[in-house]
Amino acid sequence: MHEPTESINLLSSLGINLSSGQLTTLAIALFVATYAMILLEKYVHRTVAALLGACAVMITGLLTPDMAWASIDFNTIFLLFGMMNIVNVLSRSGFFDLVARRALVLTRGEPARVLWIFSLLTALFSAFLDNVTTVLFMAPVVMTVVLRLGLKPMPYLIAVILASNTGGTATLVGDPPNIIIGSVAGKGFGEFLTNVAPYALVATVAGIGLMHLLMRRRGDLNSDISAERLRLALTDDTPLKTNPLLMKQALGVFAVTLLLFMIGHPLGLEAGLIALTTSTFLMLIADLTPVELFEQVEWTTLLFFMGLFVVVGALEHVGVFTMVATSLTDIIGGNVGSGILLVGFASALISGFVDNIPFTISMASVLRELQTTFGPSMDPLWWALSLGACLGGNLTLIGASANIVVSDIAAREGHPISFGGFMRYGTPVALITTTIALGLFYITHTLMN
């Protein structure tokens, strides 16, 4: 348990001096209040909620401004910022438009092919880019394709969401929970490829396969598209605007970034520093000004993370995570198998109903405390947290940031995704993929060892 912060703040200026127990209660209350505002995003934007929580933490003296700044995980912030800039340059070069047009030709206008090709493309992109960024460019492309073919957009957009969350599970940079875990636990890109990617790959194929069965059962794969409409859909005479030089530069830097992700950790290079450095180099060689690129950065996402890190930092400062880790230690009792099942399935369930970003930030701090007690033997719990938090995000429409982003895009285009409509597809897929991935992971780390 840390000592209360000794600084001038609103409470002390009013002559209110709280005990350690009262400070703990206050930190938990502010965390719960922030979480509640995040859940009520219809009324309060989640970034505003996180920043309000951070301000409250500093105003009440739980953390000084310097301590709040120190609680922000800048490895995570730099990684997101750097990858956003690389993706923005790729987008400006016309790379994603080119891929989408080629993919449309491969589908031959067949609904099942549209489902599999665009789902696999989304999963692939999400493995190497953050899934919010992936769905931002994939969702409009898929909507355009299915509308040209006369298909209902909703199930195909849901398929994009599900594929982004399962595909993003595979790597360090694919999903925000993994970025957080990598930074807090000190895990590198290669470790995610070894410990998470095989189970994520199985989950991705199983998820798309189940989505195929669900859509066929509901008639979503039936199409009476005429030959003329199919010809017009597959023959797009609109000139494709690409910048070959910029595309080569961006793809080259992207490839170098991925290579450094894989070899950088043993060299002491954090993923955030790598992404920041390579994206800055790309800005140097590309014919684009920082102003042009920074306009496309998702600043609301970055500030959301920063605010949450401060709120969670207050919980850590007053010793909440130490207490939770002690309770978890009593339950698990050093049994890795029990820990995998408890952490994995609990993470999946919770992440289905609350955004998995704040949950993972909190749970990562708990596991860090737990590992100080049992040491490296508890290492598999990090991977169980990754699988649960990422795959569980498919349970409901509010389970992951990508879900909300695609829902907003669909609503703007006049094809809203209802909460119940999403659950008809997302919930079965989440249950099956999570059970398969965690089941295989459990077998690998317990029964085979």
Side-chain angles (χ1 to χ4, degrees), residues 36 54 85 116 118-119 126 185 200 203 223 332 355 359 373 387 414 428 442 447:
N85 280 314
W116 277 91
F118 281 100
S119 292
S126 288
S223 175
I332 295 174
D355 193 297
F359 168 76
T373 302
L387 291 169
Y442 175 82
L447 302 183

Side-chain angles (χ1 to χ4, degrees), residues 20-263:
S20 294
Q22 290 171 324
L23 286 171
T24 300
T25 302
L26 177 60
I28 294 173
L30 290 178
F31 175 77
V32 171
T34 303
Y35 226 123
M37 286 191 291
I38 291 171
L39 289 176
L40 298 173
E41 191 169 8
K42 180 179 179 181
Y43 305 100
V44 181
H45 193 282
R46 66 176 188 166
T47 301
V48 175
L51 291 177
L52 283 174
C55 291
V57 162
M58 290 183 280
I59 289 172
T60 56
L62 286 167
L63 295 178
T64 65
D66 286 344
M67 293 168 65
W69 189 255
S71 68
I72 298 172
D73 189 337
F74 281 98
N75 182 53
T76 298
I77 301 301
F78 289 162
L79 179 56
L80 285 171
F81 176 74
M83 294 307 292
M84 285 176 185
N85 280 314
I86 293 174
V87 169
N88 287 338
V89 176
L90 279 171
S91 180
R92 283 175 172 271
S93 73
F95 172 74
F96 298 120
D97 291 335
L98 178 64
V99 170
R101 187 168 292 190
R102 298 278 173 83
L104 175 58
V105 173
L106 288 175
T107 68
R108 300 176 189 169
E110 298 177 13
R113 281 176 171 263
V114 172
L115 169 66
W116 277 91
I117 289 175
F118 281 100
S119 292
L120 289 172
L121 265 180
T122 301
L124 177 64
F125 284 139
S126 288
F128 298 102
L129 312 170
D130 86 273
N131 54 9
V132 172
T133 303
T134 300
V135 298
L136 279 172
F137 64 78
M138 284 301 295
V141 169
V142 170
M143 179 171 287
T144 300
V145 169
V146 297
L147 288 177
R148 281 184 183 176
L149 296 174
L151 304 172
K152 292 185 294 185
M154 188 183 77
Y156 294 91
L157 291 175
I158 293 174
V160 166
I161 293 172
L162 303 181
S164 74
N165 288 330
T166 52
T169 308
T171 68
L172 168 66
V173 298
D175 210 353
N178 286 359
I179 296 172
I180 295 163
I181 291 168
S183 186
V184 174
K187 304 299 183 184
F189 195 90
E191 291 173 283
F192 273 89
L193 286 180
T194 302
N195 294 283
V196 180
Y199 310 100
L201 177 61
V202 173
T204 298
V205 176
I208 300 173
L210 180 56
M211 192 67 185
H212 182 121
L213 293 176
L214 292 171
M215 290 176 64
R216 186 174 65 182
R217 181 180 175 184
R218 295 184 170 93
D220 297 320
L221 296 181
N222 299 332
S223 175
D224 55 356
I225 183 172
S226 65
E228 178 62 17
R229 184 167 188 170
L230 179 60
R231 185 189 67 78
L232 292 174
L234 299 179
T235 307
D236 191 345
D237 296 328
T238 306
L240 186 62
K241 296 180 180 179
T242 60
N243 185 328
L245 176 60
L246 188 61
M247 190 181 300
K248 290 178 182 178
Q249 291 171 331
L251 287 173
V253 169
F254 182 57
V256 170
T257 303
L258 294 182
L259 176 63
L260 290 175
F261 280 157
M262 288 183 272
I263 67 173

